[in-house]
């Protein structure tokens, strides 16, 4: 394994299955040569892939008299600027004391390092608290870093491009550091993290937009001229997630070229995809320029967060697996890396603000009896918090609601044999709170201007050291005093009126406020997670408004969406799965009618969907009947039995492209790394009459192993059939009558049993035909009841490994 090869002026970065290459050309510029499938030699690489240029066409700019055939507009580059002929979007723009905005970066030197290496400029100790600083490998093997230093011939600054090769994950990380080596202050207008100049534009862009409770809406669009993705919410945003993909038009889950991109950052970001005059594509990723922009004094340094890229020659499933492995190996911290996550009960949709210790304990007792391991006390436990209009900032327990305090409740929960978790929203404050009254200048707001509120609250300025120091003390105190195993860290508004009354009222005093906020947040999280490494943090920002790799460096899991409707969740969780592993996705079973959509999805669907994520229950278990409670207990047992594979297995999307008979259904599958166990989930949307046949091709198991495939039994109530029951019943059973109710209790309907043994090659190559679905022609127990929002869970277990095939 030799991840970085340097020959003469050629730099080649290898991951296990991919190669990235660039070189220094005669003028000192960096020419991007290649990013794609693994190459096995360097001989001829430049001759084959280097730009061949004999003239500069028409009104294009020639770089210099000594290089008359070089146009920076036509050169695929590693770093681009303005002013020397490249009229595409630039990677870096600075303005010097003379007002010049032209830059011309040329190669100076390089260094290489094991692992992430030192921060190229500042040295480890002074490194800015960006989350990639913690993105260490559990085994550093195969992680190497290359720093390329360039100098600006015009303005005299120095730029360091840092490339980190995550060999096994097939990921390359890129970031930039700019040092003002000139003798006057400059203004940094933009500094991106990654530039990738691709030689053509025959790609489809897949990105994920959305809104609150509608995270990860998938959009697919062919590249034509210019696409801009990004966020201005102050967070990475549910309006557009920073993860996106490019794929060859015909590529699908199992076939074809595709690239995945993400950014290890939680604030405003931008990605642009520009098709240039010659049909090439420039991808840029980084912090939104107006968020990062600042003045830089001589010798001062500015560093960007790390962007990451992956390439797959074999379709989107492999791309996702590479992203998943990267998150699990290099993003998730310490002891949580491969630790199975507890099944939890959350009090929010059960009681909202109306929490009270006796009621909470009753819920906890019931949950414990069903196998739940972690009790999470959500909003409402502190200050005067009876609604969302007040209390945020006052993190002292409300003794009317919790007379024995947090400590007392936490101890009672522990005495039941459960872990205790707590909701907090540390970055926020209500105007109606003691904290705001004490420190009105700690918030982001413009003095003497009406402030626009979100959920009645204001942001504390985490860019101020006194604020993060204060929060550190308050939170550390809470975690010290009560036995708390888990924190749900919420953040429920986006930004507006960004200004700090505590900072100097000047352009420089207020610059880069939101970036400083994000750095302050990271610093706080870094301190807390170092001091309390054993506490499981779950990120949340009104659901998935900050679902990103930056937060995942500190919080091993994130609440994926406030939308707990199972049907909506199928798409939400499926789309997260393109870039994030199931071990990061909070997924809860909630009550019906659903609190966001009023849909009545059957319990089985709610359970199936939540199984493909980190299972929790978020409903009032005290009001359920015995049948529902039994179904919940059984489901939790099932989940625990398969938890390792459900949380950490290889995840497959079974799409209608390969399974045309799926029609309105979606199917997911997870398989363990040894291909011995798997779980297949089938989730129906709306049913179509008389489409009773369904054949599914399994994925991810071994061709040569024989497997048993069987379903989890389901039990139905007579109610499923309504008045149809009277077509077969010897006695009339009017709907809603007492007689009907008695019959319902006496005659539960057993769903179909499905159990077969077959070799993996058959189950994957040919597929498996499921029992005929109900089509109104009578019912027997071999029929698959497959009404709207039906679902199935199937287990896959290796029986024997066939030899000699
Ligand atoms: C946000 C979260 C919810 C819940 C509430 C509490 O909306 O996303 O899960 O914690 O806040 O106020």
């Amino acid at each position: 394994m030799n991840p970085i090869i340097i020959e003469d002026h050629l730099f080649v970065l290898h991951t296990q299955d991919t190669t990235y290459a660039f070189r220094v050309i005669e003028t000192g510029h960096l020419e991007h040569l290649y990013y794609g499938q693994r190459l096995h030699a360097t001989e001829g690489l430049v001759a084959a892939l280097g730009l061949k240029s004999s003239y500069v066409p028409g009104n294009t700019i020639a770089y210099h008299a000594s290089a008359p055939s070089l146009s920076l507009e036509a050169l695929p580059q590693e770093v681009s600027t303005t002013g020397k002929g490249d009229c595409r979007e630039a990677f870096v723009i600075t303005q010097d004391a003379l007002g010049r905005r032209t830059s011309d970066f040329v190669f100076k030197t390089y260094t290489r390092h094991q692992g992430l290496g030192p921060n190229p400029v500042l040295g480890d100790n002074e490194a800015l608290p960006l989350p990639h600083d913690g993105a260490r490998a559990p085994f550093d093997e195969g992680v190497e870093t290359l720093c390329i230093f360039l100098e600006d011939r015009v303005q005299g600054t120095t730029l360091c491009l840092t490339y980190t090769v995550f060999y096994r994950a097939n990921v390359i990380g890129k970031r930039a550091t700019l040092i003002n080596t000139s003798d006057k202050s400059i203004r940094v207008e933009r500094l991106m993290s990654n530039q990738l100049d691709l030689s053509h534009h025959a790609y489809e862009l897949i990105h994920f937009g959305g809104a609150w409770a509608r995270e990860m809406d998938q959009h697919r669009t062919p590249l034509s001229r210019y696409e801009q993705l990004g966020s201005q919410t102050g967070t990475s945003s549910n309006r557009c997630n920073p993860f996106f993909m490019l794929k060859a038009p015909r590529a699908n889950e199992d076939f074809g070229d595709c690239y995945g991109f993400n950014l290890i950052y939680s604030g405003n970001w931008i990605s642009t995809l520009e098709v240039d005059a010659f049909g090439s594509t420039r991808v840029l990723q980084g912090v939104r320029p107006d968020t990062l922009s600042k003045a830089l004094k001589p010798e001062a340094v500015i560093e960007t967060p790390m962007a990451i890229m992956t390439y797959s020659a074999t379709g989107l499933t492999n791309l996702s697996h590479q992203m998943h492995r990267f998150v699990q190996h290099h993003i998730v911290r310490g002891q949580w890396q491969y630790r199975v996550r507890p099944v939890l009960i959350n009090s929010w949709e059960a009681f909202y603000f109306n929490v009270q210790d006796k009621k909470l304990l009753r819920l906890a007792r019931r949950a414990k009896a069903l196998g739940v391991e972690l009790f999470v006390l959500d909003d409402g436990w502190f200050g005067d918090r009876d609604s969302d209009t007040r209390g945020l900032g006052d993190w002292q327990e409300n003794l009317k609601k919790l007379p024995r305090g947090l400590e007392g409740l936490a101890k009672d929960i522990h005495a039941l044999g459960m872990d205790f978790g707590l909701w907090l929203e540390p970055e926020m404050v209500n105007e109606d709170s003691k904290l705001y009254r004490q420190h009105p200048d700690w918030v982001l707001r413009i003095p003497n201007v009406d402030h626009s509120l979100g959920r009645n609250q204001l942001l504390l300025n985490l860019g101020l050291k006194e604020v993060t120091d204060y929060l550190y003390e308050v939170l550390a105190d809470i975690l010290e005093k009560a036995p708390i195993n888990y924190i749900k860290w919420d953040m429920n508004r986006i930004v507006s009126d960004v200004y700090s009354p505590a900072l100097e009222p000047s352009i420089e005093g207020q610059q880069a406020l939101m970036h400083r906020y994000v750095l302050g947040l990271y610093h706080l999280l870094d301190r807390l997670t170092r001091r309390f490494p054993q506490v499981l943090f779950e990120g949340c920002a009104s659901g998935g408004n900050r679902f990103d790799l930056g937060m995942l460096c500190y919080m091993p899991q994130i609440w994926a969406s406030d939308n707990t409707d199972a049907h909506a969740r199928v798409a939400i969780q499926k789309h997260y799965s393109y870039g994030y592993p199931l071990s990061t996705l909070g997924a809860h079973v909630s009550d019906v009618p659903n609190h966001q959509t009023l849909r009545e999805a059957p319990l089985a669907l709610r359970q199936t969907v939540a199984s493909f994520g980190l299972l929790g229950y978020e409903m009032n278990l005290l009001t359920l009947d015995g049948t529902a409670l039994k179904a919940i207990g059984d489901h939790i047992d099932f989940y625990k039995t398969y938890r390792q594979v459900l949380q950490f297995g290889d995840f497959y999307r079974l799409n209608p492209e390969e399974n045309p008979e799926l029609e309105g259904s979606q199917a997911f599958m997870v398989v363990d790394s040894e291909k011995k166990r798997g779980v297949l989930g089938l989730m129906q949307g709306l049913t179509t009459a008389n489409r009773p046949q369904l054949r599914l091709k399994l994925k991810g198991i071994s061709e040569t192993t024989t497997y048993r495939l069987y379903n989890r039994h389901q039990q139905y109530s007579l109610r499923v059939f309504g008045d149809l029951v009277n077509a077969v019943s010897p006695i009339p059973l009017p709907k809603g009558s007492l007689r009907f109710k008695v019959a319902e209790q006496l005659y539960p309907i057993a769903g179909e049993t499905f159990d077969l043994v077959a070799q993996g090659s058959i189950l994957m190559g040919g597929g498996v035909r499921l029992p005929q679905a109900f089509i109104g022609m009578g019912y027997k127990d071999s029929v698959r009841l497959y009404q709207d929002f039906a679902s199935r869970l199937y287990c896959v277990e290796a029986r024997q490994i066939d030899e000699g095939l």
Side-chain angles (χ1 to χ4, degrees):
M1 183 193 326
N2 194 2
I4 299 178
I5 295 173
I6 302 170
E7 281 178 8
D8 198 8
H9 281 97
L10 174 67
F11 297 88
V12 181
L13 314 179
H14 288 308
T15 72
Q16 196 162 280
D17 305 315
T18 73
T19 296
Y20 184 100
F22 60 96
R23 67 164 176 151
V24 183
I25 60 173
E26 292 73 26
T27 53
H29 296 94
L30 299 181
E31 178 186 1
H32 174 75
L33 293 169
Y34 177 79
Y35 183 35
Q37 197 165 341
R38 172 82 192 239
L39 307 179
H40 299 288
T42 49
E43 194 189 347
L45 199 154
V46 173
L49 291 164
L51 186 73
K52 279 84 180 174
S53 172
S54 308
Y55 57 84
V56 166
N59 68 352
T60 313
I61 302 291
Y63 171 66
H64 190 260
S66 62
S69 64
L70 173 66
S71 160
L72 293 181
E73 185 182 354
L75 184 73
Q77 296 171 76
E78 290 296 301
V79 53
S80 56
T81 60
T82 53
K84 295 302 282 179
D86 188 347
C87 48
R88 297 169 285 182
E89 288 282 9
F91 179 84
V92 51
I93 304 177
T94 58
Q95 187 167 33
D96 70 7
L98 301 177
R100 296 179 297 184
R101 289 178 80 245
T102 291
S103 284
D104 190 17
F105 282 101
V106 289
F107 178 77
K108 215 164 103 189
T109 185
Y110 71 85
T111 55
R112 58 189 293 178
H113 313 270
Q114 289 293 314
L116 288 182
N119 179 298
V121 187
L122 303 167
D124 257 344
N125 292 338
E126 290 170 67
L128 300 173
L130 280 162
H132 63 239
D133 294 327
R136 307 268 162 198
F139 45 91
D140 251 11
E141 195 189 335
V143 179
E144 277 195 40
T145 294
L146 173 69
C147 301
I148 301 282
F149 291 86
L150 305 126
E151 67 183 351
D152 184 352
R153 279 185 180 141
V154 181
Q155 301 188 23
T157 59
T158 301
L159 179 65
C160 172
L161 299 178
T162 304
Y163 299 78
T164 298
V165 182
F166 298 92
Y167 188 86
R168 297 216 167 140
N170 283 320
V171 162
I172 292 182
K174 286 171 75 179
R175 59 201 164 101
T177 312
L178 185 78
I179 311 121
N180 185 2
T181 38
S182 77
D183 55 8
K184 299 245 167 47
S185 283
I186 60 163
R187 172 132 219 112
V188 180
E189 284 184 23
R190 69 157 65 183
L191 181 61
M192 305 302 282
S193 294
N194 179 29
Q195 169 173 332
L196 178 65
D197 281 0
L198 294 162
S199 63
H200 64 81
H201 66 279
Y203 295 110
E204 192 179 53
L205 166 66
I206 305 178
H207 63 100
F208 302 94
W212 171 73
R214 190 162 36 77
E215 288 84 348
M216 300 302 278
D217 256 354
Q218 185 179 197
H219 300 271
R220 292 185 176 220
T221 165
L223 286 186
S224 60
R225 171 74 195 109
Y226 192 86
E227 297 286 342
Q228 179 176 316
L229 313 174
S231 137
Q232 300 191 63
T233 56
T235 55
S236 49
S237 188
N238 50 17
R239 287 19 175 212
C240 188
N241 190 278
F243 170 71
F244 64 96
M245 298 180 284
L246 284 178
K247 72 169 190 69
R250 289 179 50 225
N252 62 22
E253 288 286 348
D254 304 313
F255 160 86
D257 284 342
C258 40
Y259 296 92
F261 302 84
N262 211 334
L263 186 67
I264 310 180
Y265 189 64
S266 311
N268 296 336
W269 60 277
I270 193 171
S271 291
T272 56
L273 300 104
E274 179 184 14
V275 179
D276 68 18
F278 306 112
S280 311
T281 301
R282 170 166 293 169
V283 181
L284 288 173
Q285 295 174 266
V287 178
R288 232 185 107 84
D290 59 4
T291 297
L292 194 68
S293 171
K294 63 187 277 194
L296 217 57
K297 296 201 177 96
E299 292 183 18
V301 174
I302 180 168
E303 189 194 359
T304 72
M306 184 189 283
I308 59 143
M309 315 183 283
T310 192
Y311 166 81
S312 159
T314 54
L316 300 173
T317 300
N318 183 46
L319 182 147
S320 298
H321 288 174
Q322 292 177 177
M323 282 291 181
H324 295 178
R325 238 165 272 144
F326 175 74
V327 174
Q328 284 163 351
H329 286 331
H330 302 289
I331 293 288
V332 174
R333 70 184 157 88
Q335 55 184 272
W336 291 103
Q337 218 143 31
Y338 291 101
R339 184 148 149 208
V340 291
R341 310 294 159 69
V343 177
L344 63 82
I345 175 87
N346 179 298
S347 66
W348 180 240
E349 287 197 12
F351 303 142
Y352 290 102
F353 294 102
N354 193 8
V355 294
Q356 213 285 321
D357 73 339
K358 290 213 175 73
K359 211 161 63 173
L360 293 168
L361 277 168
R362 277 207 301 279
L363 180 65
R365 248 177 247 121
R366 174 66 54 91
K368 169 69 188 169
L370 300 175
V372 172
E373 298 154 316
L374 166 68
F375 182 87
V376 180
L377 172 55
D378 210 284
D379 201 349
W381 60 268
F382 53 91
D384 286 334
R385 186 76 171 166
D386 291 325
S387 71
D388 64 13
T389 58
R390 58 178 179 274
L392 285 179
D394 298 339
W395 301 112
Q396 293 81 34
E397 60 272 71
N398 179 321
L399 290 173
K400 280 194 214 118
K401 296 181 182 181
L402 309 180
R404 289 172 23 78
L406 264 186
E407 198 188 340
L409 179 65
K411 283 189 174 155
D412 290 346
I413 298 284
H414 276 264
L416 294 175
M418 297 172 97
D419 281 348
F420 179 71
L422 190 65
W423 179 95
L424 285 158
E425 195 176 356
E427 297 158 74
M428 299 286 170
V429 70
N430 287 120
E431 284 168 302
D432 189 356
S433 67
K434 285 187 198 138
L435 184 66
Y436 182 72
R437 284 186 281 274
Q438 273 162 18
H439 296 287
D441 59 342
W442 276 8
V443 298
L444 289 174
R445 81 178 304 162
I446 312 172
N448 308 319
V449 171
D450 286 341
H451 190 90
S452 307
L453 289 173
R455 212 192 184 200
N456 311 302
Q457 61 201 50
L458 291 153
L459 275 113
L460 290 170
N461 181 5
L462 267 64
L464 298 175
K465 187 163 180 318
E466 58 266 42
V467 172
T468 50
D469 282 350
Y470 168 83
L471 287 174
Y472 176 75
E473 292 306 330
V474 170
L475 299 173
D477 195 50
I478 292 175
L479 286 166
E480 285 292 351
K481 279 200 184 133
I484 295 173
N485 311 88
Y486 159 111
I487 292 287
K488 178 174 169 189
W489 183 296
D490 211 339
M491 199 269 192
N492 279 317
R493 65 159 290 177
I494 62 169
V495 304
S496 68
D497 305 75
V498 174
Y499 190 89
S500 172
L503 290 171
E504 194 188 294
S506 66
I507 293 178
E508 289 210 355
Q510 299 288 327
Q511 66 189 354
L513 267 193
M514 282 319 294
H515 182 58
R516 283 146 78 184
Y517 177 99
V518 176
L519 296 183
L521 169 67
Y522 289 149
H523 186 51
L524 174 61
L525 292 174
D526 187 54
R527 289 175 77 189
L528 283 169
T529 50
R530 276 177 205 277
R531 175 148 162 203
F532 303 99
Q534 77 288 359
V535 173
L536 174 61
F537 282 74
E538 176 154 354
C540 175
S542 305
N545 190 40
R546 206 163 52 181
F547 200 114
D548 61 62
L549 298 182
M551 294 316 282
L552 285 172
C553 285
Y554 307 98
M555 314 204 167
Q557 59 192 61
I558 299 180
W559 178 227
S561 176
D562 272 0
N563 189 346
T564 57
D565 173 72
H567 178 62
R569 270 289 185 134
V570 175
I572 293 173
Q573 290 173 210
K574 173 175 172 174
H575 297 156
Y576 274 120
S577 81
Y578 282 104
Y580 304 93
L582 298 193
S583 58
T584 61
L585 283 178
H588 297 177
V589 176
S590 62
D591 208 350
V592 285
N594 176 268
H595 291 197
Q596 293 76 42
T597 61
L598 298 180
R599 198 183 336 257
E600 297 232 21
L603 181 58
L605 178 72
R606 289 176 272 150
Q607 294 175 323
T608 300
V609 178
S611 298
F612 290 93
L614 303 172
L615 177 66
Y617 275 77
E618 186 168 338
M619 61 203 299
N620 189 352
L621 301 172
L622 301 170
T623 58
L624 300 183
D625 64 25
T627 315
L629 290 175
K630 167 140 191 355
I632 292 174
D634 289 350
H635 173 238
I636 292 172
D637 274 356
F638 165 82
Y639 183 82
K640 286 181 179 166
T641 309
Y642 284 90
R643 165 158 52 184
Q644 185 70 41
V645 57
L646 284 164
Q647 296 184 352
F648 295 101
D650 291 333
F651 180 71
Y652 296 86
R653 297 168 289 266
L654 276 56
N655 289 329
E657 294 148 32
E658 307 95 44
N659 298 278
E661 295 152 28
L662 267 174
E663 289 274 325
S665 284
Q666 294 282 347
F668 299 155
M669 191 162 170
V670 283
V671 181
D672 70 358
S673 57
E674 295 185 314
K675 300 184 186 301
K676 286 193 171 148
R677 305 180 94 187
V679 177
L680 167 67
L682 186 61
M683 293 147 289
Q684 169 68 322
L686 295 183
T687 289
T688 314
N690 203 8
R691 284 210 187 276
Q693 304 298 345
L694 205 168
R695 192 174 56 158
L696 261 183
K697 288 183 178 176
L698 269 54
K699 282 189 168 180
I701 51 177
S702 151
E703 294 229 312
T704 54
T705 300
T706 299
Y707 293 90
R708 177 178 168 215
L709 170 71
Y710 60 98
N711 64 343
R712 273 197 80 223
H713 281 120
Q714 288 196 29
Q715 196 161 292
Y716 301 91
S717 138
L718 275 184
R719 244 175 308 153
V720 171
F721 294 104
D723 199 36
L724 257 187
V725 171
N726 288 307
V728 291
S729 169
I731 53 161
L733 295 171
K735 259 200 306 178
S737 66
L738 185 63
R739 223 182 298 154
F740 194 105
K741 284 187 188 137
V742 172
E744 200 182 338
Q745 295 301 321
L746 291 178
Y747 302 106
I749 300 173
E752 86 279 9
T753 297
F754 185 69
D755 201 338
L756 62 77
V757 171
Q759 204 200 32
S761 68
I762 299 172
L763 297 173
M764 291 194 294
V768 51
R769 198 180 279 289
L770 299 180
Q772 192 175 29
F774 179 82
I775 46 169
M777 304 295 291
Y779 177 75
K780 32 186 140 160
D781 61 9
S782 58
V783 168
R784 181 167 49 96
L785 282 180
Y786 206 58
Q787 71 281 43
D788 289 354
F789 310 123
S791 69
R792 293 291 185 282
L793 278 167
Y794 299 91
C795 305
V796 184
E797 273 163 20
R799 297 298 293 275
Q800 93 201 31
I801 297 170
D802 297 348
E803 302 291 342
L805 283 173

